[in-house]
Amino acid sequence: MVGHVLQDKHGRRMRKLRISLLDACNMRCVYCMPEKPHFTPQEDWASAEEIVRIAGHLCALGIEEIRLTGGEPTLRADMLAIAEGLSGLGARKLGLTSNGLLLGEKLEALKTRTDLRFLNISMDSLDRDNFARITRKDVFETVHGTILKARDMGFSVKVNVVALRGLNDHEVLDFVDWSGREGVAVRFLEAMNIGVMEKDFAQRLIPAREMIGEIRKHYKLTAQVGEVDATAYTFVADNGADVGFIASESEPFCGNCSRLRLTAQGHLRPCLFTHTGINLKGVAFEHYPAAIASILDLKPGGRMAHVAQPMYQIGG
Ligand code: SAM
Ligand code: SF4
């Protein structure tokens, strides 16, 4: 760590913090969750106060963007209190990744009581039956309605679509059409070889280049310039669609990673792909600097071969 800047030993500056509020979820997406998952008991979660204190310390050291995730972050009863606490920390961007099932009823409070304005909402299909097949929950209308409501309320909304060969690859063009029509950005995520995906990863992966090639047969795509630590290639299509591709598997972006992670149990982690972390839950404030310095030293320089834990447990 150099001075007050969160810099790792590879010279990368950490400016993004992803906070998992819990690992539990009210969906069972086939690429993410086993049908009978084991979740961390509530008493082992970091408290709202601890989360805000740790995030506050990291913001003072240079974190500029914070995103809440899980599991499903809206399941945590104190999510709003946490978002309120994080709102006062001076982060430039405060965001949330959600499956959109319970989010709709929380939008008004998020808008009026917090600075949280950046929503990534997962919607892997535009077809009700296919949505239910992929998420194992028949709630397409609710999720779709929440996305449009959030857009209308002025949130910055991006829809996450995990692209899965044989499951929703026939909908890629529909999503481009939908994005242009509704004015909502879509991000296609390559399926990652992690957790339950490990068994049929090779069969399901659709490389981003393949999707881009397919879309280009129907739309003119103009590449957009992103930040150096951006995780997505983004384009504007000639129907007005804002489409992006997160090529975590075919073109990993780890070399420019600027992200730290805080797990639901209060472990600060340097990377999604390593099990290494330091438990800050119950740790006195004066010990944070040493813990953070060692986490920065542990940050891998590039993509690790194997992911130690499922995404929902670390915080996707
Ligand atoms: N429950 C929330 C949701 O689904 O948006 C937040 C947590 S979820 C783990 C965060 C993101 O990770 C979602 O967009 C989800 O689709 C994605 N995800 C989960 N497992 C994945 C996998 N194996 N490959 C690619 N993306 C995955
Ligand atoms: Fe839950 Fe999100 Fe995983 Fe789906 S992707 S099972 S909504 S954590």
Side-chain angles (χ1 to χ4, degrees):
M1 195 162 55
V2 182
H4 277 301
V5 178
L6 293 169
Q7 190 167 303
D8 74 1
K9 63 181 180 205
H10 307 284
R12 296 169 302 189
R13 222 194 103 199
M14 300 301 116
R15 44 177 222 96
K16 300 182 182 175
L17 175 65
R18 193 159 283 204
I19 302 176
S20 174
L21 295 189
L22 76 175
D23 53 10
C25 189
N26 47 2
M27 290 197 191
R28 295 287 181 271
C29 303
V30 292
Y31 54 81
C32 177
M33 284 272 175
E35 272 183 271
K36 294 193 172 59
H38 167 74
F39 296 130
T40 308
Q42 188 164 343
E43 60 269 24
D44 292 341
W45 297 348
S47 69
E49 295 72 27
E50 280 168 324
I51 291 171
V52 173
R53 190 167 62 232
I54 294 166
H57 189 76
L58 289 168
C59 283
L61 294 175
I63 289 293
E64 298 167 354
E65 299 183 14
I66 300 177
R67 175 165 292 276
L68 301 179
T69 184
E72 176 48 40
T74 57
L75 286 177
R76 201 162 147 160
D78 55 2
M79 183 197 83
L80 273 170
I82 293 169
E84 276 182 309
L86 297 175
S87 297
L89 302 180
R92 206 164 49 81
K93 270 185 164 183
L94 188 52
L96 171 78
T97 302
S98 168
N99 62 26
L101 181 51
L102 299 176
L103 181 63
E105 64 205 45
K106 303 185 192 301
L107 288 174
E108 191 58 40
L110 278 174
K111 189 170 177 190
T112 51
R113 288 168 41 191
T114 81
D115 291 342
L116 194 150
R117 295 290 176 269
F118 296 87
L119 298 176
N120 284 14
I121 305 178
S122 297
M123 182 173 67
D124 298 317
S125 174
L126 288 164
D127 172 81
R128 179 181 163 179
D129 292 339
N130 204 29
F131 183 98
R133 194 170 304 128
I134 296 172
T135 62
R136 300 194 184 105
K137 199 101 182 181
D138 186 8
V139 291
F140 169 75
E141 276 86 1
T142 306
V143 173
H144 186 253
T146 295
I147 290 167
L148 300 187
K149 179 177 173 188
R151 171 202 66 184
D152 293 344
M153 288 176 70
F155 286 93
S156 167
V157 184
K158 287 180 189 147
V159 167
N160 283 357
V161 182
V162 179
L164 300 156
R165 198 181 300 284
L167 286 175
N168 62 3
D169 44 349
H170 59 290
E171 295 193 57
V172 169
L173 295 174
D174 295 344
F175 271 108
V176 180
D177 174 58
W178 180 88
S179 172
R181 209 163 5 98
E182 299 294 356
V184 178
V186 169
R187 297 290 174 260
F188 294 102
L189 279 60
E190 285 183 358
M192 291 175 73
N193 193 3
I194 176 169
V196 290
M197 262 314 285
E198 284 179 325
K199 63 179 186 327
D200 53 2
F201 170 71
Q203 177 200 339
R204 295 288 183 218
L205 173 71
I206 312 173
R209 292 283 148 199
E210 186 181 323
M211 288 185 267
I212 294 168
E214 193 50 38
I215 295 169
R216 281 208 154 115
K217 290 180 189 161
H218 303 266
Y219 295 94
K220 185 170 177 291
L221 291 180
T222 306
Q224 306 296 293
V225 180
E227 290 171 329
V228 71
D229 56 354
T231 52
Y233 300 103
T234 54
F235 300 85
V236 172
D238 53 358
N239 67 338
D242 174 338
V243 287
F245 301 86
I246 305 187
S248 329
E249 293 289 348
S250 65
E251 297 172 49
F253 34 78
C254 302
N256 291 327
C257 183
S258 62
R259 197 176 281 171
L260 294 176
R261 294 173 177 273
L262 187 66
T263 70
Q265 296 97 325
H267 290 241
L268 189 65
R269 290 211 180 169
C271 173
L272 177 66
F273 290 87
T274 96
H275 202 278
T276 334
I278 292 197
N279 189 3
L280 292 180
K281 182 172 156 61
V283 168
F285 194 66
E286 60 266 29
H287 298 306
Y288 284 5
I292 292 165
S294 48
I295 284 298
L296 289 171
D297 277 348
L298 290 168
K299 193 160 173 75
R303 175 66 187 263
M304 314 270 293
H306 181 72
V307 188
Q309 255 183 308
M311 189 106 108
Y312 71 91
Q313 286 180 359
I314 312 166

